[in-house]
Amino acid sequence: MTITTRASIVRGAPGRYETVEVELDDPRQGEVTVRLAASGLCHSDDHVATGDVPVGIYPFAGGHEGAGVVTAVGPDTPGFEVGDHVVFSFLPACGACEFCARGQSNLCDLGASLLTGARANDPASFRMHLDGEPVGQQCGISTFSEYTTAAVDSVVKIDRSIPLRSAALVGCGVPTGWGSAVNSANIFPGDTVIVMGIGGIGANALQGAAHAGATTIIAVDPVPQKLEWAKQFGATHGYASIEEAAEFARSITNGQGADATIVTIGVVRGEHVGQALASIRKAGTVVLTGLGDITAAGAPIALGDLTLMQKRLQGSLFGESNPRRDIPNLLRMYQAGQLKLDELVTRTYTLDQVAEAYEDMHAGRNIRGLIVFD
């Protein structure tokens, strides 16, 4: 059985998001159907439209950061019922593979299927169709849709008292940025931290750095308004360029530099990695979280500096977060007033405005745009 729903898709790359009616499968065993309440507009979905992140099939329905209410549960699928409030995790967690067993469920083996658009357990099977042809689902969930069907490996139940608009943000941007600081950057109380790029990920890296106890938190962004916004998320200083930020960091650390620099630029290039590495002290850490062309290779890194200064370059996927542990924990922090979520949203959009939202993102008008369905 299928239902009809409206979803925002790209037909090819480079392309532009447009809203169409698609047929959506009812849930199979191990799946649920969810009516979306809100979906964050993450840069990763724009990377799909530009072609920086190639996908397995077009058309491709975007969206991987959202929350909603379960409307149907597949047969023999315990643990979920109609009416449950849920957050989607863009990274599934099976709980059984080697990396889940290691406590690194952000590296779950199911992640290998995220850009194919198909069901993880059936590469020839697609949950969405347009005019009888398959439509790929971003990360197996596609939250740019009024309704979506997804595997329960990608769904986390939450307390019904939490506003779904706020909860939507913890499916990607918040744990990715916050965890880049708390889990990946090796930050200690009193540290000096630089965050390069103040968007939906960078703002949460600022919050994470503050939570970890950093004393000096330096935001870097060429957009003046973003440097102003950065202050409410924990930034103590702001500069338009990494060179200015690094010079300031050295001026307050006896010439050493930042303890950690977190790269959350929207379109990362090799030179950004080299600049970040040059900004940190001996035995400091660079965390690379942002994406660009994922097929690109090479960065201007002084190998002697890396070795002789004992510096560390660390990739960070989902902020090294465990979705089933960290999504509820972050929401508890929000309820306790320890984490800002509502303040991240600078503008809301309808499903028909996805392309406009990404134009606003490129123009530097948003920290986080949010599609609101209700």
Side-chain angles (χ1 to χ4, degrees):
M1 299 292 293
T2 63
I3 63 172
T4 299
T5 186
R6 297 171 70 244
S8 192
I9 66 167
V10 286
R11 296 181 186 268
R16 181 180 172 87
Y17 279 100
E18 59 178 294
T19 302
V20 298
E21 284 196 347
V22 300
E23 292 77 46
L24 176 70
D25 284 0
D26 279 347
R28 297 180 180 179
Q29 182 180 7
E31 296 181 344
V32 293
T33 296
V34 176
R35 176 174 56 83
L36 271 296
S39 174
L41 289 144
C42 183
H43 204 136
S44 297
D45 295 294
D46 183 65
H47 286 310
V48 170
T50 63
D52 283 345
V53 176
V55 297
I57 189 172
Y58 292 100
F60 198 79
H64 65 280
E65 180 183 271
V69 179
V70 173
T71 59
V73 180
D76 300 318
T77 304
F80 290 88
E81 61 184 30
V82 172
D84 282 342
H85 287 205
V86 297
V87 171
F88 288 99
S89 170
F90 85 96
L91 290 176
C94 71
C97 71
E98 176 184 352
F99 288 93
C100 283
R102 288 174 180 265
Q104 296 175 301
S105 59
N106 65 309
L107 300 176
C108 176
D109 286 346
L110 291 176
S113 68
L114 293 187
L115 298 178
T116 67
R119 285 179 164 94
N121 61 357
D122 189 352
S125 177
F126 295 82
R127 301 185 185 97
M128 286 183 172
H129 291 81
L130 175 64
D131 299 328
E133 297 298 320
V135 175
Q137 280 182 294
Q138 168 75 304
C139 295
I141 53 180
S142 289
T143 59
F144 294 172
S145 182
E146 294 170 333
Y147 289 81
T148 193
T149 298
V152 295
D153 298 314
S154 300
V155 176
V156 178
K157 286 199 298 186
I158 64 170
D159 190 289
R160 297 189 187 193
S161 67
I162 300 170
L164 287 169
R165 290 191 186 187
S166 306
L169 301 174
V170 301
C172 174
V174 175
T176 297
W178 189 86
S180 293
V182 173
N183 299 326
S184 303
N186 205 31
I187 296 171
F188 289 90
D191 275 359
T192 294
V193 177
I194 297 173
V195 177
M196 294 174 63
I198 308 304
I201 307 299
N204 288 295
L206 296 173
Q207 293 204 80
H211 179 89
T215 297
T216 304
I217 305 172
I218 307 166
V220 178
D221 202 287
V223 179
Q225 179 60 61
K226 287 192 174 185
L227 295 181
E228 284 299 310
W229 284 330
K231 295 175 183 177
Q232 67 179 309
F233 301 111
T236 59
H237 301 77
Y239 292 95
S241 71
I242 182 59
E243 290 82 7
E244 294 173 287
E247 182 179 355
F248 174 72
R250 287 190 287 270
S251 76
I252 61 171
T253 58
N254 195 31
Q256 292 296 315
D259 297 283
T261 294
I262 305 170
V263 183
T264 54
I265 294 171
V267 182
V268 175
R269 297 188 297 273
E271 66 242 40
H272 298 136
V273 180
Q275 291 164 347
L277 204 69
S279 73
I280 59 173
R281 60 164 170 81
K282 292 181 285 187
T285 299
V286 168
V287 176
L288 180 56
T289 303
L291 288 174
D293 179 352
I294 63 171
T295 66
I301 293 173
L303 298 182
D305 183 46
L306 186 66
T307 302
L308 300 177
M309 297 297 111
Q310 201 173 302
K311 295 182 178 181
R312 176 173 172 251
L313 176 57
Q314 173 68 54
S316 185
L317 175 64
F318 199 35
E320 299 187 50
S321 298
N322 176 330
R324 300 198 185 284
R325 177 195 66 196
D326 290 322
I327 285 174
N329 281 353
L330 290 166
L331 290 173
R332 280 191 285 270
M333 290 175 62
Y334 164 70
Q335 290 178 305
Q338 297 174 311
L339 183 73
K340 296 180 185 295
L341 294 182
D342 303 320
E343 295 84 351
L344 294 166
V345 179
T346 37
R347 184 179 169 188
T348 60
Y349 300 86
T350 67
L351 183 62
D352 295 315
Q353 294 177 303
V354 173
E356 178 187 342
Y358 281 117
E359 290 173 0
D360 286 345
M361 184 197 72
H362 283 290
R365 300 188 184 106
N366 283 337
I367 291 291
R368 194 47 130 214
L370 186 74
I371 300 171
V372 175
F373 292 90
D374 294 333

